[in-house]
Amino acid sequence: MPEPHDEAATAARARRLRIALDGPAGSGKSSVARALAAELDARHLDTGAIYRAITLACVESGVDLADGDACAAVARAARIDQEDGRTRLDGRDVEDAIRGDDVSARVSTVSAHAAVRDVLLAHQRELAADGAVVEGRDIGTVVLPDADVKVFLTASAAERARRRAAQLGRDDVDDLRAAIEERDRLDTERAVAPLRPADDALVLDTSDLPFDEVVAILAARVRAEAEARVAAEAALPRRLPRVAVVGRPNVGKSTLVNRVLRERVTIVEAVPGVTRDRTEHVAVWQGREFLLVDTGGWEHGTDDAVGREVVRQTEAAIAGADVVVQVIDGTVGVLDDDERVARTLRRSGAAALLVVNKVDREQDVPATGAEVRLGLGEPHAVSARNGRGVDALLDDVVARLPDTPREDGQAVAAPGTPHVALIGRPNVGKSSLFNRLVGDERAIVHDAPHTTRDAIDTLVTVDGQDLVFVDTAGLRRRYRSGEDVEQYAVDRTRAAIERSDVALFLIDAGEPIGAQEQRLAAMLRDAGCGLVVVLNKWDTVDEERRDELERELDRLLGFATWAPRVNVSALTGRAVSRLGPAIATVLANHRRRIPTGELNQVIGRAVEDHAPARSGTRPVRLRYAVQVGVGPPRLLLFANGPLEDGYLRYLERTLRERYDLSGTPVVLETRARSADARRGGRGTRGRPRRS
């Protein structure tokens, strides 16, 4: 699955969300809002306190509280701020004054004036513009109808009266209950904006929920929304200037690329010919972004078909580059193939730089006569291995970048663009399918296995959706000692699976399923990405083989019976067009959000039909469910005891029967509260179940 969104970015986005908390009197809005704001490190906006402050201002001004226009004039002139849980009126702290009986008895009169509400409506929206947890009356329906998250807290009148009595230190619970019921009646029957939940609000009955669980449920809901916003706000695909690194084999091109990127993104070995396909990576220097293209080693006149294809890929990289960096080996000097590369660069017209690599010390800087003869200007003497001279090289590269990228250049995927990995054993047809999907011979295709070693990312638009397709190396049946190149390719394949939203699991339909497919299936099971099973070379399969294949697939993919299958021929293009809709469906399901109200209705009916097993002598109650993440859908279940794996499988089946979740796993997490937790301690989180 892809890397989760940066936690800091998600937390920052959560602080900028406008969260509306509504509910009847005594439902706990104020306490919950303060705790939620503290949990999110967000601003808390008490709109009721704003009305109370205006009421205090009207009383102090001596205006007739029954005169709406006069009260509105006072409201327009007043300056109200809230900070650190305190309310300020024209700069002075009035938090204690507005909670007194005098203001409490008059606030309903002032707040009932439409003119006052209009003035304060604009003020509240302004205060909440940069994000806040806003609680009060009619927040989700009137004040912030476009709030990012809306919540309607409620509880029984008896429970609200009990809470209010405990808060005020009173014992006349029956009187408080009668007052609350009367206020409920007035609120719901008023002519203007009767109190009701917004249509898209999360309605949460807190009568039987401990306070900390209420806050946890709401915090999970807000963070899920923030994570979704982070993904949705990612920039559109953009075009960047391209810098191609070229040269003959084993001069240190991939080492230089890794040095520039400050991470090991390409395979580096002391044997020539390790890099074969051209790979592209976004690099940044002095605030300038550019696309750094690593290429295979250039060997003129090679008789090897793969070698000839490497040369063709390198020529294509040169043709599409704004700046080309030719790397030569400073320990051996200029060879014939170096001169051939330089001639190609001079003919291309691209801005070219010459790099003499493997110059580890100042005294190793060679005489530059032969290098200057290549016609690419004064060379940069660098050591890609230890970084010597690389900063000066990058300064020169950035200085030569064009202000405007080429219009015919490959667009760079925006953050959050879905990644689709092509997974399968060697020679199953991954690169053929990759090239057919991207519409370009980007990956080398050859009958010999293992021609792909790196994971290659390419942005493609399929059926109107931007996708990053990742062609990966295949897994061999076993490794011999010392085969670091192959092991690294396997590591890159595993990493590609883990950062992908959807995996296309290619299987050779004409060959028996073996150990390599089993290893890949294990990776896919643990990754959490969406899955489409692609049966390639379907045109070679007869009826007898189809029956065998069905039995093999049942054994291999018993963990993913929810995965769709598509039968294709990458060679001929048969049915490849069906992959686009299949990917779109799986992506939609992988990111599916189930409204909290619906989710609890479905779970509630499932519990009624089949209750959880008892924990010892005590029945286990499943109190609440909330979705806390997507990619894949992740649900948090609140219960008073542990839920067995068998019961979680039952709940998953119920959800799949109700919602289209084909192609995606579902993660179920439980939070069970022990007796100690109910007395005020912490709850325990159950083991997540990914299915």
Side-chain angles (χ1 to χ4, degrees):
M1 63 183 297
E3 292 293 327
H5 291 301
D6 182 82
E7 289 185 5
T10 299
R13 190 65 184 89
R15 288 192 291 271
R16 299 200 309 274
L17 293 179
R18 294 170 302 160
I19 305 159
L21 266 68
D22 281 310
S27 58
K29 300 187 297 296
S30 182
S31 300
V32 170
R34 280 194 295 270
L36 180 60
E39 174 72 16
L40 301 173
D41 193 23
R43 182 180 187 184
H44 170 225
L45 186 60
D46 182 350
T47 62
I50 293 174
Y51 276 97
R52 286 174 172 269
I54 291 301
T55 301
L56 177 62
C58 290
V59 170
E60 292 178 343
S61 299
V63 300
D64 182 0
L65 300 187
D67 187 339
D69 292 337
C71 291
V74 172
R76 279 191 291 270
R79 179 170 56 86
I80 301 173
D81 298 295
Q82 289 185 334
E83 185 177 351
D84 299 329
R86 308 293 293 182
T87 303
R88 289 176 172 79
L89 173 63
D90 296 328
R92 61 190 175 96
D93 189 326
V94 295
E95 184 65 29
D96 296 332
I98 64 175
R99 304 299 175 182
D101 292 340
D102 189 44
V103 171
S104 298
R106 291 171 169 79
V107 64
S108 295
T109 301
V110 175
S111 62
H113 296 310
V116 173
R117 295 173 67 89
D118 289 343
V119 172
L120 294 189
L121 190 64
H123 185 60
Q124 292 169 87
R125 289 172 178 171
E126 180 181 351
L127 290 175
D130 295 329
V133 180
V134 187
E135 54 95 357
R137 305 168 72 75
D138 313 322
I139 306 301
T141 53
V142 177
V143 179
L144 297 174
D146 56 348
D148 302 300
V149 177
K150 300 177 187 176
V151 178
F152 191 90
L153 295 179
T154 187
S156 67
E159 176 62 19
R160 286 184 280 150
R162 186 192 65 77
R163 294 174 184 173
R164 181 60 61 86
Q167 181 184 24
L168 299 177
R170 294 167 54 174
D171 55 10
D172 54 340
V173 177
D174 291 340
D175 292 341
L176 288 171
R177 176 175 179 174
I180 284 173
E181 289 175 340
E182 175 61 17
R183 187 167 182 181
D184 286 350
R185 186 187 66 79
L186 294 174
D187 282 342
T188 55
E189 295 178 358
R190 65 190 184 210
V192 179
L195 183 64
R196 62 173 180 80
D199 293 338
D200 54 348
L202 162 62
V203 179
L204 186 60
D205 188 333
T206 66
S207 299
D208 297 324
L209 287 176
F211 180 81
D212 60 341
E213 283 197 13
V214 174
V215 176
I217 290 169
L218 298 188
R221 174 67 185 88
V222 171
R223 289 182 177 123
E225 179 65 26
E227 184 175 315
R229 296 297 177 98
V230 168
E233 291 168 358
L236 294 173
R238 63 208 188 279
R239 298 189 187 280
L240 298 178
R242 302 164 72 83
V243 177
V245 180
V246 302
R248 59 183 179 79
N250 208 32
V251 296
K253 298 184 299 299
S254 295
T255 303
L256 179 60
V257 168
N258 288 338
R259 171 65 60 179
V260 172
L261 298 172
R262 293 179 172 82
E263 60 178 320
R264 193 184 186 198
V265 296
T266 62
I267 305 174
V268 177
E269 281 294 318
V271 294
V274 170
T275 300
R276 292 171 173 171
D277 301 292
R278 72 182 192 267
T279 62
E280 301 176 348
H281 316 273
V282 176
V284 182
W285 185 253
Q286 293 183 348
R288 285 296 306 274
E289 280 189 317
F290 57 91
L291 206 60
L292 191 61
V293 185
D294 188 23
T295 64
W298 179 305
E299 290 184 288
H300 180 73
T302 178
D303 293 331
D304 178 17
V306 173
R308 290 195 300 271
E309 182 62 18
V310 169
V311 171
R312 191 192 70 79
Q313 293 274 3
T314 303
E315 290 174 338
I318 292 172
D322 298 286
V323 177
V324 182
V325 176
Q326 180 183 353
V327 183
I328 66 174
D329 187 340
T331 64
V332 300
V334 178
L335 302 184
D336 289 345
D337 274 345
D338 295 321
E339 293 183 349
R340 292 188 179 95
V341 174
R343 283 198 298 271
T344 301
L345 293 183
R346 292 196 300 270
R347 289 195 301 267
S348 73
L353 294 171
L354 181 63
V355 169
V356 181
N357 190 28
K358 305 183 183 179
V359 182
D360 296 338
R361 301 174 300 170
E362 182 67 28
Q363 55 265 41
D364 294 333
V365 176
T368 58
E371 289 80 7
V372 171
R373 192 176 69 247
L374 293 176
L376 301 179
E378 191 71 23
H380 286 268
V382 309
S383 172
R385 184 178 64 179
N386 63 32
R388 182 189 179 279
V390 173
D391 288 1
L393 169 63
L394 289 173
D395 288 341
D396 202 355
V397 167
V398 168
R400 295 169 184 255
L401 293 177
D403 294 332
T404 304
R406 297 163 52 140
E407 287 298 324
D408 60 349
Q410 172 73 32
V412 179
T417 301
H419 281 58
V420 180
L422 281 75
I423 308 299
R425 69 182 181 185
N427 213 30
V428 74
K430 298 185 300 299
S431 294
S432 296
L433 182 60
F434 175 79
N435 288 337
R436 190 169 289 279
L437 287 168
V438 304
D440 182 22
E441 296 296 322
R442 289 292 312 281
I444 297 174
V445 179
H446 195 268
D447 290 340
H450 311 296
T451 51
T452 299
R453 286 174 172 168
D454 260 310
I456 307 168
D457 293 12
T458 303
L459 178 65
V460 184
T461 301
V462 177
D463 296 341
Q465 166 127 35
D466 288 334
L467 302 171
V468 175
F469 277 98
V470 185
D471 187 21
T472 63
L475 268 64
R476 283 162 55 153
R477 181 175 291 106
R478 64 188 62 187
Y479 301 102
R480 292 183 293 275
S481 176
E483 290 188 314
D484 293 339
V485 172
E486 297 297 347
Q487 181 59 57
Y488 183 55
V490 170
D491 292 342
R492 292 297 303 278
T493 296
R494 181 179 291 107
I497 292 174
E498 291 175 349
R499 65 187 173 90
S500 291
D501 298 89
V502 177
L504 302 184
F505 188 6
L506 267 73
I507 295 174
D508 187 337
E511 296 291 333
I513 291 175
Q516 295 113 312
E517 285 85 3
Q518 292 173 359
R519 292 171 60 202
L520 286 167
M523 290 184 188
L524 292 167
R525 181 182 60 242
D526 296 337
C529 60
L531 179 61
V532 178
V533 179
V534 181
L535 302 178
N536 193 24
K537 307 181 184 180
W538 190 256
D539 49 335
T540 67
V541 178
D542 57 25
E543 287 296 330
E544 181 179 355
R545 172 59 191 153
R546 292 181 186 181
D547 292 338
E548 295 174 352
L549 180 61
E550 194 65 33
R551 291 191 292 271
E552 292 172 0
L553 289 172
D554 286 343
R555 290 194 297 270
L556 177 73
L557 298 173
F559 73 95
T561 56
W562 36 259
R565 302 177 188 176
V566 181
N567 307 327
V568 306
S569 171
L571 183 64
T572 65
R574 176 194 183 279
V576 171
S577 61
R578 293 174 53 199
L579 288 176
I583 293 169
T585 297
V586 173
L587 273 175
N589 294 340
H590 199 237
R591 298 178 174 183
R592 179 175 297 280
R593 286 191 178 280
I594 303 173
T596 305
E598 286 186 23
L599 175 62
N600 280 278
Q601 289 177 5
V602 173
I603 295 295
R605 285 194 293 267
V607 171
E608 289 177 3
D609 294 341
H610 177 36
R614 299 173 70 89
S615 176
T617 60
R618 186 183 62 185
V620 175
R621 294 179 57 199
L622 181 52
R623 288 197 179 99
Y624 204 78
V626 63
Q627 184 170 352
V628 295
V630 295
R634 187 160 55 93
L635 309 181
L636 183 58
L637 308 175
F638 292 83
N640 68 336
L643 299 175
E644 297 178 350
D645 283 350
Y647 195 76
L648 294 177
R649 287 193 294 270
Y650 161 69
L651 294 179
E652 183 202 345
R653 288 195 303 272
T654 301
L655 291 169
R656 289 189 182 279
E657 290 170 0
R658 174 63 177 81
Y659 299 101
D660 182 4
L661 294 168
S662 61
T664 182
V666 177
V667 179
L668 300 179
E669 299 178 7
T670 61
R671 179 174 291 177
R673 293 180 56 81
S674 65
D676 289 341
R678 288 195 303 278
R679 287 194 294 267
R682 284 188 169 184
T684 59
R685 183 181 295 276
R687 175 171 61 89
R689 181 182 185 278
R690 176 177 290 135
S691 40

